[in-house]
């Protein structure tokens, strides 16, 4: 009995000991696995910055929608932080606009590429086609624009002098010293050098923990740097384990590159946030006008001229806008350069939020003898329009298109251009203005510099839309997204900004129904409303565009810093297409005065809201 108890106790002790050993083994294993990933051992000796598998480039252009794609970039930057040491090796550059010929297949070079931008219904990403860079060295600026758009132009123009040159140099030396120190510490009879490296590392770590710019550095920092450089030079004289140094430096390189990519995407996101947010002064103006409207309802004496707004014999201009000042500048500049303002009638289509501010503004301000009508698009009752359908204001959509020229596909750099096109709201024009046969549609980011009366005598030859054609992008380049519809593959795209619309011909051809049918066919869960509007618009007006002389309108003042001043002075209309609108602080400074000179400086609300400051 006694022996049985003894054997039982021994067996229990063995089981307990086995359990303890198993637990200790799991603990050690759980510590080793993260350590392996942290040191980059799982990567072996692969070269950093090269793709493990080469992707096949496509032969089509890439179209991007600024404000949504950068939100995707922001999501990607968060992924970078979550996977800081597990960097993605394949990165695709992308974004779009408007220029020459078909995109051609270009082999990818050995460049670092970011994950392709995701099409997501939450962010409304537009048509996304990966396109590969041709030359990293010569086209680095164009690659940046290809991925981040006009942010790269703004960043180049506002690049500040580096104030942390010495700090960066100290960090580089610290990285190198850390890479050599483990190997030097293992060498026999090198305790002095090992101690010297360790002290220099600790000293630089202390300095960098307290300094972010050169002005924060303590005096005699140059001597500390010289001591570190001398210690590193001594370490390089010894035969060390190159594999360890190589892996450490690769780890540092990967982490640094990921951090740089994250900050680039973060900066682009903040830029996009700035250009899409209404300035405080304009928000103040809209709120003050709305409050004033309800505080003391104005006398609608001017509304007695409402019959002019339906007179088909007058020159009717249509503006879609939610910006009081922008629409005011368009009207003021048009009227100031017109020969007979009495024949002009302007129709500002806005949303319910800005309707009362717009209404009061145009009742308080006069524009010679022109008539201004403000319409709330959300409260319109249109014939043959479903009551269940909600009307919402949508402004002209802006895209960037990037592509290579087929003229010299191996040598041509990536072209990135900007185009704007009708939104869904524009297809309500025939129903809104049932008594009119022709209108001129102006975007709210244009400034008129010449008389536009000649537009009303255009013989459009049965065409519906007179616009500036955009033959840098042809429909054949979008065949993957336009589907199997019948269209002329060589047809050019076209631009909004200045459009003469034959409403009678539009109604005869039922273009609104055509657009709605195409939009419904093309709508998918992954695609945004904006991307659908682009493709459906191009197909709806295919073969119905009357090309007007490009001298009528000069585009690019919202993204291109290099426009010739003489060309600006000769253009009939200036189009601030792009992100850097003239009413924004981020607007291009040398183009702003062409827009600001048409502001009404005397209005008290402008002064109270610091609009003119």
């Amino acid at each position: 009995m006694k022996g049985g108890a003894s054997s039982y106790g021994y067996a229990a002790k063995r089981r307990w000991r086995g359990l303890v050993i198993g637990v200790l083994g799991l603990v050690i294993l759980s510590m080793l696995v993260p350590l392996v990933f942290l040191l980059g051992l799982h990567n072996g000796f692969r070269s950093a910055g090269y793709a493990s598998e080469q992707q096949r480039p496509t032969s089509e252009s890439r179209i991007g929608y600024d404000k949504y794609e950068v939100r995707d970039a922001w999501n990607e930057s968060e992924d970078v932080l979550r996977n800081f040491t597990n960097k993605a090796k394949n990165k695709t550059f992308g974004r779009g606009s408007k220029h020459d010929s078909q995109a051609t297949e270009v082999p990818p070079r050995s460049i670092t590429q970011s994950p392709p931008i995701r099409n997501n219904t939450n962010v409304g990403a537009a048509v996304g086609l990966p396109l590969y860079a041709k030359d990293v060295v010569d086209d680095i600026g164009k690659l940046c624009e290809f991925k981040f758009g006009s942010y790269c132009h703004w960043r180049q123009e506002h690049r500040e002098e580096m104030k942390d040159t010495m700090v960066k140099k100290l960090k580089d030396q610290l990285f190198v010293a850390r890479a050599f120190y483990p190997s030097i510490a293992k060498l026999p009879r090198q305790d002095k050098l090992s101690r010297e490296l360790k002290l220099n590392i600790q000293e630089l770590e202390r300095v960098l923990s307290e300094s972010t710019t050169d002005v924060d550095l303590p005096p005699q920092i140059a001597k500390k740097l010289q001591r570190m450089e001398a210690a590193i030079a001594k370490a390089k004289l010894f035969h060390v384990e190159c594999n360890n140094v190589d892996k450490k430096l690769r780890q540092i390189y990967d982490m640094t590159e990921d951090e740089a990519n994250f900050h680039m995407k973060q900066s682009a996101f903040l830029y996009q946030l700035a250009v899409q947010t209404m300035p405080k002064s304009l928000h103040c103006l809209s709120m003050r006008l709305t409050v004033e409207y309800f505080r003391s309802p104005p006398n609608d004496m001017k509304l007695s001229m409402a019959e002019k707004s339906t007179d088909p014999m007058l020159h009717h201009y249509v503006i879609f806008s939610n910006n009081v000042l922008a629409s005011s500048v368009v009207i003021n500049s048009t009227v100031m350069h017109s020969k007979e303002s009495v024949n002009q009638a302007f129709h500002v289509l806005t949303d319910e939020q800005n309707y009362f501010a717009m209404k009061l503004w145009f009742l308080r301000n006069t524009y010679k003898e022109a008539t201004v009508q403000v319409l709330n698009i959300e409260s319109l009752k249109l014939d043959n329009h479903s009551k269940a359908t909600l009307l919402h204001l949508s402004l002209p959509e802006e895209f960037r298109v990037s592509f290579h020229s087929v003229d010299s596909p191996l040598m041509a750099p990536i072209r990135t251009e900007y185009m704007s096109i009708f939104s869904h709201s524009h297809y309500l024009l025939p129903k809104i203005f049932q008594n009119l046969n022709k209108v001129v549609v102006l975007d709210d980011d244009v400034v008129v510099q010449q008389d536009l009366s000649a537009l009303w005598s255009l013989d459009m030859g049965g065409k519906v839309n007179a616009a500036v054609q955009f033959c840098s992008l042809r429909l054949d380049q979008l065949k993957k997204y336009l589907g199997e519809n019948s269209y002329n593959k060589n047809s050019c795209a076209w631009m909004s900004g200045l459009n003469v619309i034959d409403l009678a011909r539009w109604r005869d051809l039922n273009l609104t129904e055509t657009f709605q049918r195409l939009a419904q066919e093309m709508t998918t869960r992954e695609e945004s409303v904006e991307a659908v509007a682009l493709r459906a618009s191009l197909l709806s007006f295919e073969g119905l565009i009357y090309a007007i002389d490009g001298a009528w309108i000069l585009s690019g003042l919202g993204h291109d810093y290099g426009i010739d001043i003489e060309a600006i002075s000769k253009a009939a209309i200036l189009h601030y297409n792009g992100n850097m609108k003239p009413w924004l602080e981020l607007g291009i400074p040398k183009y702003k005065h062409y827009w600001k000179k048409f502001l009404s400086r005397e209005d008290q609300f402008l002064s109270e809201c610091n609009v003119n400051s």
Side-chain angles (χ1 to χ4, degrees), residues 329-330 333 442-448 497 553 573-576:
V329 166
V330 176
S333 61
L442 298 173
D443 287 357
D444 68 350
D445 57 353
V446 304
V447 171
V448 178
I553 184 168
I573 295 178
L574 304 178
H575 190 191
Y576 289 81

Side-chain angles (χ1 to χ4, degrees), residues 446-467:
V446 304
V447 171
V448 178
Q449 298 190 126
Q450 296 177 20
D451 181 39
L452 301 183
S453 58
L455 293 173
W456 299 93
S457 59
L458 283 179
D459 181 7
M460 298 171 58
K463 305 294 185 180
V464 177
N465 184 357

Side-chain angles (χ1 to χ4, degrees), residues 549-591:
D549 191 342
W552 272 103
I553 184 168
L554 178 64
S555 300
L557 279 76
H559 67 86
D560 189 353
Y561 282 86
I563 298 178
D564 183 54
I565 300 299
E566 185 177 354
I568 293 177
S569 61
K570 292 181 179 179
I573 295 178
L574 304 178
H575 190 191
Y576 289 81
N577 62 313
N579 282 331
M580 292 175 274
K581 304 297 185 185
W583 55 82
L584 298 175
E585 185 178 348
L586 295 181
I588 301 177
K590 63 181 180 179
Y591 306 147

Side-chain angles (χ1 to χ4, degrees), residues 315 317 319 327-341 344 346 367-368 370 440 442-443 446-453 456 572-573 598:
H315 296 172
Y317 297 87
I319 305 166
S327 53
S328 177
V329 166
V330 176
I331 296 174
N332 195 25
S333 61
T334 305
V335 171
M336 292 292 291
H337 292 97
S338 65
K339 296 178 181 178
E340 295 182 355
S341 62
Q344 294 179 323
F346 294 87
Y367 302 87
K368 291 188 177 180
V440 171
L442 298 173
D443 287 357
V446 304
V447 171
V448 178
Q449 298 190 126
Q450 296 177 20
D451 181 39
L452 301 183
S453 58
W456 299 93
I573 295 178
F598 294 106

